[in-house]
Amino acid sequence: MKRFVLLTLPLLSACGASYNMRVPDSMEKKLPYEARIELLEAENNLALAIDRVDEADNEIGRARDNIRRARSRQEAAEDEVDRASDEVSREVAKLAIAEAEARVEYLRARQRLSVGLRDVERLALRCAFAEFELARLQAARKAKVEGSERLDPKEFEEQVSECKAEVKEERAELAGDEKEEKTAREAWEAKKAALAKKTFDARASPYVENL
């Protein structure tokens, strides 16, 4: 159990100082084995929250790589326009440019959304940590660990409630980014379809690349 707490503390420090009310570690050390078992669910939720932050960070990295690739495709398509020997080839190259430009715009919108989602997951991690601390306090008070009576469970419950309310609020604020991402994706899909149709409507066309 300590492993997850120790791994989480540096992440929480990077996310700010909110919702950091803790139960002294000395109290947990005094918990009987049965009480420690009761903390497993909160510990697992904490581990899952850490995984979601990691995945959100990875998604931002993937978006960054995809943007670089899309820009390279755009440059290659622009070169094809100059090298086109006939009108059909020139038209295909122009469609490829339009598709690449739309792809870059979509990926930028997706990255903005991913950054927002990552921030929400970081805050959700703080909530999971707050829930873990509440579970530790409840276990300590149930086991009548000395000193636990001086800690007010309501304050720890309020910490969890306030954190979850903030997560809900931040998720709602991403509605604009989600709409922009959807609009940009639809625009890219339309450009991609037009390019595929011009190149024999082949899904495996060398001019058309799926994400």
Side-chain angles (χ1 to χ4, degrees), residues 69-134:
R69 288 173 56 197
R71 285 173 174 166
S72 296
R73 286 174 59 82
Q74 181 179 341
E75 293 173 359
E78 290 170 351
D79 291 340
E80 286 296 324
V81 172
D82 296 332
R83 291 197 295 265
S85 58
D86 56 72
E87 189 58 35
V88 174
S89 298
R90 189 173 296 107
E91 184 177 358
V92 169
K94 288 180 179 179
L95 287 173
I97 292 174
E99 185 272 341
E101 290 175 344
R103 177 190 291 262
V104 170
E105 289 305 310
Y106 160 60
L107 290 172
R108 284 173 175 166
R110 182 173 172 177
Q111 187 178 45
R112 286 193 294 272
L113 176 59
S114 294
V115 169
L117 290 172
R118 190 268 312 275
D119 292 343
V120 170
E121 293 300 346
R122 284 181 171 177
L123 180 57
L125 172 57
R126 298 200 69 85
C127 296
F129 185 75
E131 287 184 300
F132 180 71
E133 291 302 312
L134 173 60

Side-chain angles (χ1 to χ4, degrees), residues 130-144:
E131 287 184 300
F132 180 71
E133 291 302 312
L134 173 60
R136 291 213 300 169
L137 176 57
Q138 290 171 335
R141 288 175 66 88
K142 183 178 179 180
K144 301 186 184 303

